[in-house]
Amino acid sequence: MVREAMKRRTLILAMACLSLVYYILCIHEKAAVERTIHGFYDGFIRKDFTESYTYFDMKFRSDISEDLKMSLIAQQLINDRHWYGDIQGFHIWPMLWGGRGTKVVYVKVTYLHSLEKGDKTDKLTIQKIHGEWVITQYASGSPWPNLP
């Protein structure tokens, strides 16, 4: 009986330790994903589209030039940015697990367009590729086609 109680305590302690390690790893991943999101949206708000493709998985493609990568992403972002108008800010909503090395993130974008203030929600899929968190899908609140 004492032996079973010790086994139970050992099992509970082991589960608690594993949960703590998992929690610490999740916090580290969350911070890295948030850096990617903030970098992308900070440039998006400033209308700095020349570096925007570096937040997308397209940057790893070797079959197209850097100029083409930039223009493919930039033009769609320019359309979205024009549609949003004056962006007042953004807020990261839930960050969901989308599979191993994948996060699905919802970002609420607050904007002012034609004196009308509103919120739209963007949906991003972010994956860890070559040790870096990059956007693999971007669906904005605009009526334009999604990236990529």
Side-chain angles (χ1 to χ4, degrees):
M1 187 119 134
V2 172
R3 195 173 189 155
E4 284 185 30
M6 287 193 61
K7 282 183 180 179
R8 225 177 280 130
R9 282 187 211 139
T10 303
L11 181 62
I12 290 170
L13 181 60
M15 289 176 60
C17 288
L18 288 174
S19 295
L20 179 63
V21 168
Y22 178 75
Y23 178 74
I24 290 169
L25 290 174
C26 286
I27 288 174
H28 177 69
E29 278 189 347
K30 182 179 184 235
V33 171
E34 285 178 348
R35 278 192 298 277
T36 297
I37 293 168
H38 279 276
F40 170 69
Y41 277 97
D42 289 344
F44 186 66
I45 289 169
R46 289 189 320 271
K47 299 180 183 180
D48 181 8
F49 304 114
T50 58
E51 296 294 319
S52 57
Y53 79 93
T54 63
Y55 293 99
F56 288 83
D57 61 338
M58 182 179 287
K59 75 181 198 172
F60 298 119
R61 290 188 55 183
S62 59
D63 60 327
I64 56 178
S65 71
E66 295 299 308
D67 289 339
L68 184 56
K69 290 176 195 179
M70 180 179 55
S71 65
L72 288 172
I73 296 291
Q75 186 55 57
Q76 290 182 5
L77 291 177
I78 289 168
N79 292 343
D80 278 349
R81 185 63 183 83
H82 176 74
W83 182 81
Y84 272 120
D86 181 24
I87 295 177
Q88 306 290 299
F90 65 95
H91 176 74
I92 299 171
W93 278 19
M95 186 179 303
L96 307 172
W97 186 73
R100 186 172 184 211
T102 303
K103 302 287 184 192
V104 177
V105 183
Y106 293 89
V107 178
K108 182 174 87 171
V109 179
T110 302
Y111 65 93
L112 181 65
H113 189 72
S114 301
L115 300 177
E116 179 182 328
K117 188 171 184 177
D119 295 316
K120 293 291 181 187
T121 301
D122 295 349
K123 178 183 175 188
L124 292 84
T125 302
I126 300 179
Q127 291 184 325
K128 193 171 192 176
I129 301 174
H130 303 300
E132 201 175 325
W133 288 97
V134 291
I135 301 167
T136 56
Q137 289 183 314
Y138 167 77
S140 76
S142 79
W144 303 105
N146 297 330
L147 282 169

